[in-house]
Amino acid sequence: MQPSCISSDIEAEISRHPCYSEEAHRYFARMHIPVAPACNIQCNYCNRKFDCVNESRPGVVSEVLTPEQAERKVKGVAGQLMQLSVVGIAGPGDPLANPEQTFDTFARVKEHVPDVALCLSTNGLTLFRHIEEIVELGIRHVTITINAIDPEIGQEIYPWVVDEGIRYEGLEAAELLIRRQLLGLELLAKEGILVKVNSIMIPGVNDHHLQAVSQRVKELGATLHNVTPLIIAPGSQYEKDGRKAPRPKELHNLQEQLGREGMKVMRHCRQCRADAIGLLGQDRNQDFPLERMEADPAINAEARAQFQSGLDDKIRERMDAKRMKQKVLLAEAPKTRIAVATRGGDKVNQHFGHATEFLIYDTDGREVQLVGVRKIQAYCHGKADCNGDKAATLQEILSILGDCRILLCSGIGEGPRAALNKAGVLPLVRKGDITEAILESVKYSSYFENITISKG
């Protein structure tokens, strides 16, 4: 399956969000407001620390602000940082474990800096209770951290959760959290809110399970999946256990696999602090201390709009250049010609020996195009042995398939298989959707590097 594409409407909505848009993160800035210190779950990789400016990871802040202080700081930053386009709350605890501070802050930002997008990050435990408030405040982007959909795996990540004064532990805690996370995601998607799912890749715990997570959140309406490597906080349970972060290649391979399976994957995450300000990868929080902010900072809305419009133009120019380059590459990309044995239904579902025709396709590994139909005389008749000596019929078939690199069928005898291989046609036994089978088959292209193909 080819990676899914985000619709043009969604593209427009995320065009200035540096976390959702790979292009936007080069030009637009975000601001995380640390107004939510309490958390209602414990993760084995987490140990939140304050006044730790040299650390850059989620859950770390230099100071916790009140909603009034947050309003002042956002106005001060917006007045100076023209490319600020997103204001989010991501901690240092969980924003929805601090609902009063969180929604009070969002309301103040919406009133005083209406041109920024509002963004919320949560573990999802109590998300279902706050859907109405999220919609009313116009919060269009929500991130949910979902590390597992199997409670057996989840209990290895979350030792406990607390909801309405009740503490849940072990398997019971994981079951409750996962059920609430998936419910919250589904409810948000039904409201048309864009949901990014964050998952932490934890070797030996959930690394083998994240494909299932990605498929499930996609089914429930997630827009984007962001898989990040485990960062082990000092003093956390995982540090005590000696657990290790994944190797970069392991993370890359997983992201590639998720993309091939149809999910839009975020690849530019910096795993930001909960008080980060500026472009991704260029945290400027220390440049905007609260004590240097005016009591009522001025914001030039016209100047901000003009500046950001210029950034929009730069992104469009960059995207146009990228599309042009892709068109050139696609035009120059070598095509692989593939023959398919089928009884219909857009499936690879016929044995080579029983085929009386082949559908012929060209593919560059991204797109699949039907070239035509080629009739042949069936290699086998009735219960005849497909490994028998039917030299004339087989030679005729080989001549008809002479320009093909791969043959897809539901079965093939050893005699025809050997003859096709000798002629430079790779026979692959596959069943199922033709397009998916063709795109999968091009993974074997390296096989042909050592094959000499004769074209008559």
Short mmCIF file of all heavy atoms in Angstrom, two decimals, residues 145-179:
data_model
loop_
_atom_site.label_atom_id
_atom_site.label_comp_id
_atom_site.label_asym_id
_atom_site.label_seq_id
_atom_site.Cartn_x
_atom_site.Cartn_y
_atom_site.Cartn_z
N THR A 145 -0.32 10.92 23.46
CA THR A 145 0.77 9.94 23.53
C THR A 145 0.18 8.57 23.77
O THR A 145 -0.40 8.31 24.84
CB THR A 145 1.77 10.31 24.63
OG1 THR A 145 2.35 11.58 24.33
CG2 THR A 145 2.88 9.27 24.73
N ILE A 146 0.29 7.70 22.78
CA ILE A 146 -0.24 6.34 22.87
C ILE A 146 0.92 5.39 22.57
O ILE A 146 1.38 5.28 21.44
CB ILE A 146 -1.39 6.11 21.87
CG1 ILE A 146 -2.53 7.11 22.12
CG2 ILE A 146 -1.91 4.68 21.97
CD1 ILE A 146 -3.69 6.99 21.14
N ASN A 147 1.38 4.71 23.59
CA ASN A 147 2.53 3.82 23.45
C ASN A 147 2.16 2.35 23.26
O ASN A 147 3.03 1.54 22.93
CB ASN A 147 3.44 3.94 24.67
CG ASN A 147 4.09 5.30 24.76
OD1 ASN A 147 4.57 5.83 23.77
ND2 ASN A 147 4.09 5.88 25.96
N ALA A 148 0.90 2.03 23.47
CA ALA A 148 0.47 0.64 23.33
C ALA A 148 -1.05 0.60 23.22
O ALA A 148 -1.74 1.49 23.72
CB ALA A 148 0.93 -0.20 24.52
N ILE A 149 -1.54 -0.41 22.54
CA ILE A 149 -2.99 -0.68 22.54
C ILE A 149 -3.27 -2.05 23.17
O ILE A 149 -4.42 -2.45 23.27
CB ILE A 149 -3.58 -0.61 21.12
CG1 ILE A 149 -2.88 -1.58 20.17
CG2 ILE A 149 -3.50 0.82 20.59
CD1 ILE A 149 -3.56 -1.70 18.81
N ASP A 150 -2.22 -2.74 23.60
CA ASP A 150 -2.35 -4.01 24.29
C ASP A 150 -2.00 -3.78 25.76
O ASP A 150 -0.86 -3.40 26.08
CB ASP A 150 -1.38 -5.04 23.67
CG ASP A 150 -1.46 -6.40 24.33
OD1 ASP A 150 -2.08 -6.51 25.41
OD2 ASP A 150 -0.89 -7.36 23.77
N PRO A 151 -2.94 -3.97 26.67
CA PRO A 151 -2.66 -3.72 28.09
C PRO A 151 -1.50 -4.54 28.64
O PRO A 151 -0.81 -4.09 29.57
CB PRO A 151 -3.98 -4.10 28.78
CG PRO A 151 -5.03 -3.90 27.72
CD PRO A 151 -4.36 -4.31 26.44
N GLU A 152 -1.27 -5.73 28.09
CA GLU A 152 -0.14 -6.55 28.55
C GLU A 152 1.18 -5.81 28.31
O GLU A 152 2.11 -5.91 29.10
CB GLU A 152 -0.13 -7.90 27.82
CG GLU A 152 -1.31 -8.80 28.15
CD GLU A 152 -1.22 -9.41 29.53
OE1 GLU A 152 -0.12 -9.35 30.14
OE2 GLU A 152 -2.24 -9.96 30.00
N ILE A 153 1.24 -5.10 27.20
CA ILE A 153 2.43 -4.30 26.90
C ILE A 153 2.38 -2.99 27.68
O ILE A 153 3.39 -2.54 28.23
CB ILE A 153 2.53 -4.03 25.39
CG1 ILE A 153 2.72 -5.36 24.64
CG2 ILE A 153 3.66 -3.06 25.07
CD1 ILE A 153 2.65 -5.24 23.14
N GLY A 154 1.20 -2.40 27.76
CA GLY A 154 1.05 -1.13 28.46
C GLY A 154 1.47 -1.18 29.92
O GLY A 154 2.03 -0.21 30.45
N GLN A 155 1.25 -2.30 30.59
CA GLN A 155 1.60 -2.38 32.01
C GLN A 155 3.12 -2.37 32.22
O GLN A 155 3.59 -2.12 33.33
CB GLN A 155 0.98 -3.62 32.64
CG GLN A 155 1.57 -4.94 32.16
CD GLN A 155 0.96 -6.13 32.90
OE1 GLN A 155 0.45 -5.98 34.02
NE2 GLN A 155 1.00 -7.29 32.28
N GLU A 156 3.88 -2.65 31.17
CA GLU A 156 5.33 -2.55 31.27
C GLU A 156 5.81 -1.11 31.10
O GLU A 156 6.99 -0.83 31.31
CB GLU A 156 5.99 -3.44 30.20
CG GLU A 156 5.69 -4.92 30.35
CD GLU A 156 6.44 -5.74 29.31
OE1 GLU A 156 7.65 -5.52 29.13
OE2 GLU A 156 5.81 -6.60 28.67
N ILE A 157 4.91 -0.23 30.72
CA ILE A 157 5.25 1.18 30.52
C ILE A 157 4.68 2.05 31.63
O ILE A 157 5.32 2.99 32.09
CB ILE A 157 4.72 1.66 29.15
CG1 ILE A 157 5.25 0.78 28.02
CG2 ILE A 157 5.09 3.13 28.91
CD1 ILE A 157 4.63 1.05 26.67
N TYR A 158 3.46 1.75 32.05
CA TYR A 158 2.74 2.57 33.04
C TYR A 158 2.52 1.76 34.32
O TYR A 158 1.67 0.87 34.36
CB TYR A 158 1.38 3.01 32.49
CG TYR A 158 1.41 3.54 31.09
CD1 TYR A 158 0.91 2.78 30.03
CD2 TYR A 158 1.95 4.80 30.80
CE1 TYR A 158 0.91 3.27 28.73
CE2 TYR A 158 1.97 5.28 29.50
CZ TYR A 158 1.45 4.51 28.47
OH TYR A 158 1.46 4.99 27.20
N PRO A 159 3.23 2.06 35.41
CA PRO A 159 3.00 1.33 36.66
C PRO A 159 1.69 1.70 37.34
O PRO A 159 1.10 0.87 38.02
CB PRO A 159 4.21 1.70 37.52
CG PRO A 159 4.72 2.98 36.95
CD PRO A 159 4.42 2.93 35.48
N TRP A 160 1.24 2.96 37.15
CA TRP A 160 -0.03 3.35 37.76
C TRP A 160 -0.63 4.56 37.06
O TRP A 160 0.06 5.33 36.40
CB TRP A 160 0.11 3.65 39.25
CG TRP A 160 1.14 4.68 39.65
CD1 TRP A 160 2.39 4.44 40.15
CD2 TRP A 160 1.00 6.11 39.61
NE1 TRP A 160 3.05 5.63 40.41
CE2 TRP A 160 2.22 6.67 40.09
CE3 TRP A 160 -0.01 6.97 39.22
CZ2 TRP A 160 2.43 8.04 40.18
CZ3 TRP A 160 0.21 8.35 39.30
CH2 TRP A 160 1.40 8.87 39.78
N VAL A 161 -1.95 4.71 37.23
CA VAL A 161 -2.67 5.91 36.83
C VAL A 161 -3.65 6.26 37.94
O VAL A 161 -4.06 5.38 38.71
CB VAL A 161 -3.44 5.73 35.49
CG1 VAL A 161 -2.52 5.18 34.41
CG2 VAL A 161 -4.65 4.83 35.66
N VAL A 162 -4.00 7.54 38.01
CA VAL A 162 -4.97 8.01 39.02
C VAL A 162 -6.10 8.74 38.33
O VAL A 162 -5.85 9.67 37.54
CB VAL A 162 -4.29 8.93 40.06
CG1 VAL A 162 -5.34 9.51 41.00
CG2 VAL A 162 -3.24 8.18 40.85
N ASP A 163 -7.32 8.34 38.61
CA ASP A 163 -8.48 9.02 38.03
C ASP A 163 -9.54 9.20 39.10
O ASP A 163 -9.95 8.22 39.75
CB ASP A 163 -9.04 8.20 36.86
CG ASP A 163 -10.19 8.92 36.16
OD1 ASP A 163 -10.06 10.13 35.90
OD2 ASP A 163 -11.21 8.27 35.89
N GLU A 164 -9.97 10.45 39.28
CA GLU A 164 -11.00 10.81 40.27
C GLU A 164 -10.66 10.24 41.65
O GLU A 164 -11.50 9.71 42.36
CB GLU A 164 -12.37 10.34 39.82
CG GLU A 164 -12.83 11.04 38.53
CD GLU A 164 -14.26 10.69 38.15
OE1 GLU A 164 -14.64 9.51 38.28
OE2 GLU A 164 -14.99 11.61 37.75
N GLY A 165 -9.39 10.38 42.04
CA GLY A 165 -8.93 9.98 43.36
C GLY A 165 -8.67 8.51 43.54
O GLY A 165 -8.25 8.08 44.63
N ILE A 166 -8.89 7.71 42.52
CA ILE A 166 -8.67 6.26 42.61
C ILE A 166 -7.38 5.91 41.87
O ILE A 166 -7.18 6.30 40.72
CB ILE A 166 -9.85 5.47 42.02
CG1 ILE A 166 -11.15 5.84 42.75
CG2 ILE A 166 -9.59 3.97 42.09
CD1 ILE A 166 -12.37 5.20 42.15
N ARG A 167 -6.52 5.16 42.51
CA ARG A 167 -5.25 4.74 41.92
C ARG A 167 -5.41 3.33 41.34
O ARG A 167 -5.86 2.41 42.02
CB ARG A 167 -4.14 4.76 42.97
CG ARG A 167 -2.78 4.32 42.46
CD ARG A 167 -1.78 4.35 43.61
NE ARG A 167 -0.51 3.75 43.25
CZ ARG A 167 0.65 4.41 43.17
NH1 ARG A 167 0.67 5.72 43.40
NH2 ARG A 167 1.77 3.80 42.87
N TYR A 168 -5.04 3.20 40.09
CA TYR A 168 -5.08 1.91 39.40
C TYR A 168 -3.65 1.48 39.09
O TYR A 168 -2.81 2.33 38.71
CB TYR A 168 -5.87 2.01 38.10
CG TYR A 168 -7.30 2.48 38.27
CD1 TYR A 168 -7.60 3.85 38.34
CD2 TYR A 168 -8.35 1.57 38.37
CE1 TYR A 168 -8.91 4.29 38.49
CE2 TYR A 168 -9.66 2.00 38.52
CZ TYR A 168 -9.93 3.36 38.59
OH TYR A 168 -11.23 3.80 38.74
N GLU A 169 -3.35 0.22 39.24
CA GLU A 169 -1.99 -0.26 39.04
C GLU A 169 -1.95 -1.42 38.05
O GLU A 169 -2.95 -2.11 37.82
CB GLU A 169 -1.36 -0.67 40.37
CG GLU A 169 -1.26 0.46 41.38
CD GLU A 169 -0.57 0.03 42.67
OE1 GLU A 169 -0.29 -1.18 42.82
OE2 GLU A 169 -0.31 0.90 43.52
N GLY A 170 -0.77 -1.62 37.47
CA GLY A 170 -0.53 -2.79 36.63
C GLY A 170 -1.44 -2.89 35.42
O GLY A 170 -1.71 -1.90 34.72
N LEU A 171 -1.94 -4.09 35.19
CA LEU A 171 -2.77 -4.35 34.02
C LEU A 171 -4.05 -3.51 34.03
O LEU A 171 -4.48 -3.01 32.99
CB LEU A 171 -3.13 -5.84 33.96
CG LEU A 171 -3.87 -6.31 32.71
CD1 LEU A 171 -3.00 -6.14 31.47
CD2 LEU A 171 -4.28 -7.79 32.85
N GLU A 172 -4.63 -3.33 35.20
CA GLU A 172 -5.85 -2.54 35.31
C GLU A 172 -5.60 -1.09 34.90
O GLU A 172 -6.42 -0.47 34.20
CB GLU A 172 -6.38 -2.60 36.74
CG GLU A 172 -7.74 -1.93 36.93
CD GLU A 172 -8.25 -2.01 38.36
OE1 GLU A 172 -7.44 -2.20 39.28
OE2 GLU A 172 -9.48 -1.87 38.55
N ALA A 173 -4.47 -0.56 35.30
CA ALA A 173 -4.11 0.82 34.93
C ALA A 173 -3.93 0.94 33.43
O ALA A 173 -4.43 1.89 32.80
CB ALA A 173 -2.82 1.23 35.65
N ALA A 174 -3.24 0.01 32.84
CA ALA A 174 -3.00 0.05 31.39
C ALA A 174 -4.30 -0.10 30.61
O ALA A 174 -4.52 0.59 29.60
CB ALA A 174 -2.02 -1.05 30.99
N GLU A 175 -5.18 -0.98 31.05
CA GLU A 175 -6.46 -1.17 30.37
C GLU A 175 -7.28 0.10 30.38
O GLU A 175 -7.86 0.51 29.36
CB GLU A 175 -7.25 -2.31 31.04
CG GLU A 175 -6.69 -3.69 30.77
CD GLU A 175 -7.43 -4.78 31.53
OE1 GLU A 175 -8.11 -4.44 32.55
OE2 GLU A 175 -7.34 -5.96 31.13
N LEU A 176 -7.34 0.76 31.54
CA LEU A 176 -8.12 2.00 31.66
C LEU A 176 -7.53 3.09 30.77
O LEU A 176 -8.26 3.77 30.03
CB LEU A 176 -8.14 2.47 33.12
CG LEU A 176 -8.83 3.81 33.37
CD1 LEU A 176 -10.32 3.73 33.03
CD2 LEU A 176 -8.64 4.26 34.82
N LEU A 177 -6.22 3.28 30.85
CA LEU A 177 -5.57 4.34 30.08
C LEU A 177 -5.77 4.13 28.58
O LEU A 177 -6.15 5.06 27.86
CB LEU A 177 -4.09 4.39 30.41
CG LEU A 177 -3.27 5.43 29.62
CD1 LEU A 177 -3.79 6.83 29.86
CD2 LEU A 177 -1.78 5.32 29.98
N ILE A 178 -5.53 2.92 28.11
CA ILE A 178 -5.64 2.65 26.66
C ILE A 178 -7.07 2.84 26.19
O ILE A 178 -7.31 3.43 25.12
CB ILE A 178 -5.12 1.23 26.36
CG1 ILE A 178 -3.60 1.17 26.58
CG2 ILE A 178 -5.47 0.83 24.93
CD1 ILE A 178 -3.04 -0.24 26.57
N ARG A 179 -8.02 2.36 26.95
CA ARG A 179 -9.43 2.53 26.57
C ARG A 179 -9.79 4.01 26.46
O ARG A 179 -10.45 4.44 25.50
CB ARG A 179 -10.32 1.83 27.59
CG ARG A 179 -11.80 1.85 27.23
CD ARG A 179 -12.61 0.93 28.13
NE ARG A 179 -12.64 1.36 29.51
CZ ARG A 179 -11.99 0.76 30.52
NH1 ARG A 179 -11.23 -0.30 30.27
NH2 ARG A 179 -12.08 1.22 31.75
#
